[in-house]
Amino acid sequence: MAEQIPMVDYLVLGDSPHLVANACDGCGAIYFDRRNGCAHCFGRSFSKKDLAATGTVRSFSIVHRAAKGVPAPFASAVVDLDGGGQVKGNVLQADGSDPTPENTTLGMKVQLTTWVAGVDDRGTEALAFAFEPAS
């Protein structure tokens, strides 16, 4: 198996891939990037928090025109993660079909998945995350 690395720092790979965030120790607000201060309570202390790999589609848009080299259409969604946190990610159809309003819906239960976004000259795979309908 080729070496695999995550595309973003907050994607943890392994047997059960998941996202990890910085949670404010004062109010629990969740951030994916590094913070010097909390935008909610102005706290300055943060701890790492593992986030659930399952959630619910809060909103989505089916994108038909994208930047050169980006295959379209795709469904871009905001997902409310079970147990707290929101993240933007694409929703992939398990059968590989194009997204439609019939197969990507508000309130749809989804689960985190990873996919190979690129491979470098040494064969190292860069993994990105997306969501797929929960089984």
Side-chain angles (χ1 to χ4, degrees):
M1 178 182 196
E3 180 184 4
Q4 297 180 323
I5 59 171
M7 285 284 290
V8 293
D9 291 336
Y10 51 90
L11 172 61
V12 177
L13 303 176
D15 291 336
S16 54
H18 63 279
L19 304 177
V20 64
N22 296 307
C24 175
D25 292 332
C27 71
I30 294 173
Y31 302 97
F32 288 104
D33 57 346
R34 189 185 74 74
R35 292 287 172 130
N36 291 328
C38 177
H40 293 273
C41 74
F42 306 109
R44 297 183 56 169
S45 176
F46 297 86
S47 300
K48 294 290 185 190
K49 179 179 180 179
D50 289 344
L51 301 178
T54 57
T56 304
V57 173
R58 170 185 284 257
S59 65
F60 72 94
S61 179
I62 298 176
V63 179
H64 291 277
R65 297 176 73 159
K68 184 177 180 179
V70 177
F74 61 90
S76 176
V78 174
V79 174
D80 290 330
L81 297 173
D82 295 339
Q86 294 178 338
V87 66
K88 186 251 170 230
N90 291 348
V91 177
L92 307 176
Q93 296 306 311
D95 63 4
S97 63
D98 284 344
T100 66
E102 292 76 34
N103 63 19
T104 304
T105 60
L106 295 177
M108 181 170 81
K109 299 293 185 188
V110 292
Q111 61 192 19
L112 187 84
T113 187
T114 59
W115 56 280
V116 177
V119 180
D120 71 9
D121 293 341
R122 293 178 295 205
T124 302
E125 297 176 338
L127 294 185
F129 75 92
F131 293 90
E132 62 187 3
S135 49

